[in-house]
Each structure stands twice: as C-alpha cells, then as structure tokens.
C-alpha cells in the first residue's frame, strides 16, 4: 500500500481571470495481488477552487498479463454524488513487449461531456512515448465548453525520460 500527498501552486492568467491559489492533493493505492489494485485520490481537499475539486476511486485488473481493465468513478460534489458524478472505463492491450494500445469511454457530468478516447504507447527502459486522442460531445445543451452538435477533439503527445 502507498499514500501520497502533494501541494500544487497555481497561477491562472487570462482575459477572464487572474488568480493564484494552492491545492492540497491526497492519493493512495493498494495492490491486492499482482493482477488487482485499487486506488483513490482527492484533488483540492480544502476546496479552495470549487470547480477543480474532485474525488475518485479506481480499480485495475490484469488478465493473462496482456489485458488491463481499468475503471474510475468519482464526483465533484460531496453532498450530491450524482450531480457532478463521472465514470470512466478503459481496456489496455499489450500488443508487443513494450507497445500498448488503449481504448476508453467516459461520462462526466462535471464537464457536461461524454465520449471516448484511444491511445498508443511505447515504453522502453529509460524512455516512453505516448499518443492519445479524446473525442467529446455534450451530455445536455447547457454548457460553457461546446455548442450544440459540436464535438471536441483533443490530441496529446507525451515523452517521458528517466534519469
């Protein structure tokens, strides 16, 4: 088992806002077996910025060493879980020794978005490369993020280097 704490310092500057604040983050994980682990995290425990506060619990199960099933549920509202609830499920396949393919679905009332994502990763001994694409659309017509019938596509490319 492991437990971790983090303090995050944020400075936001735009035409809409100019604010500086700190967030306290706590997270933990427990490995039940080589195939099953669970974890949790609470982001912005003191709720200094209500729109960024969330808590979640997740589970990961490995089947036959090459397939991972991953699931998360959480919310941004302590009093009414359903109001800002979110869920995410994913599957990861190890297609070669160091190449992984992922696919996931999400439903997020906090962001008023639902959709899917997929990705590809290569992990070497000191270097890893990741690519992901996320497609989102509105759950309901009331949103600050998207217009009706509009879809949001996000692409992420990551590079990690171990020293």
């Amino acid at each position: 088992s492991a437990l971790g704490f983090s303090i995050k310092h944020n400075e936001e500057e735009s035409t809409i806002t100019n604010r500086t604040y700190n967030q306290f983050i706590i997270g933990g994980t427990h490995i039940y077996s080589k195939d099953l682990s669970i974890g949790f995290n609470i982001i912005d425990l003191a709720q200094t910025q209500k729109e960024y506060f969330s808590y979640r619990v997740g589970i990961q199960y490995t089947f036959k060493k090459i397939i991972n099933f991953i699931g998360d549920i959480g919310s941004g509202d302590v009093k009414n879980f359903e109001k800002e609830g979110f869920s995410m499920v994913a599957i990861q396949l190890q297609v070669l020794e160091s190449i992984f393919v992922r696919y996931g679905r999400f439903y997020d009332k906090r962001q008023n978005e639902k959709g899917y994502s997929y990705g590809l990763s290569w992990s070497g001994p000191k270097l890893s490369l990741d690519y992901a694409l996320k497609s989102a659309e509105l759950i309901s017509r009331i949103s600050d993020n998207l217009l009706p019938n509009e879809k949001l596509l996000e692409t992420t490319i990551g590079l990690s280097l171990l020293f």
Side-chain angles (χ1 to χ4, degrees):
S1 295
L3 187 63
F5 306 93
S6 163
I7 295 175
K8 184 177 175 185
H9 177 76
N10 302 280
E11 295 180 14
E12 293 182 2
E13 200 173 309
S14 71
T15 56
I16 300 171
T17 186
N18 187 6
R19 60 185 175 178
T20 301
Y21 55 92
N22 296 310
Q23 294 175 304
F24 185 69
I25 302 164
I26 183 172
T29 188
H30 179 72
I31 300 171
Y32 281 103
S33 69
K34 63 180 178 139
D35 297 329
L36 180 65
S37 61
I38 64 166
F40 77 94
N41 71 18
I42 303 171
I43 298 172
D44 198 10
L45 187 62
Q47 297 185 35
T48 56
Q49 299 296 316
K50 285 274 196 192
E51 68 266 27
Y52 298 131
F53 169 75
S54 70
Y55 58 95
R56 75 181 64 206
V57 66
I59 188 167
Q60 179 170 315
Y61 177 72
T62 303
F63 180 73
K64 303 268 186 192
K65 296 183 182 180
I66 61 167
I67 302 172
N68 291 321
F69 298 99
I70 305 160
D72 284 358
I73 60 168
S75 182
D77 192 328
V78 176
K79 294 179 182 174
N80 184 357
F81 178 87
E82 190 64 28
K83 182 179 175 187
E84 291 189 15
F86 56 87
S87 61
M88 299 166 220
V89 293
I91 186 169
Q92 174 179 275
L93 301 172
Q94 183 176 0
V95 293
L96 293 173
E97 186 176 334
S98 56
I99 296 178
F100 301 88
V101 176
R102 295 181 194 89
Y103 175 78
R105 306 272 316 165
F106 64 92
Y107 190 89
D108 189 343
K109 286 186 178 179
R110 293 181 69 223
Q111 302 295 323
N112 192 34
E113 294 177 355
K114 63 181 178 178
Y116 66 90
S117 63
Y118 59 87
L120 179 66
S121 294
W122 171 80
S123 295
K126 296 269 186 187
L127 180 71
S128 69
L129 202 57
D130 298 285
Y131 170 81
L133 181 104
K134 173 184 163 186
S135 176
E137 61 185 62
L138 292 176
I139 294 172
S140 65
R141 291 193 176 269
I142 302 169
S143 175
D144 295 335
N145 297 344
L146 299 171
L147 299 172
N149 300 322
E150 183 178 35
K151 286 191 176 186
L152 177 66
L153 289 175
E154 293 180 32
T155 302
T156 305
I157 298 173
L159 176 66
S160 299
L161 180 62
L162 296 175
F163 294 100

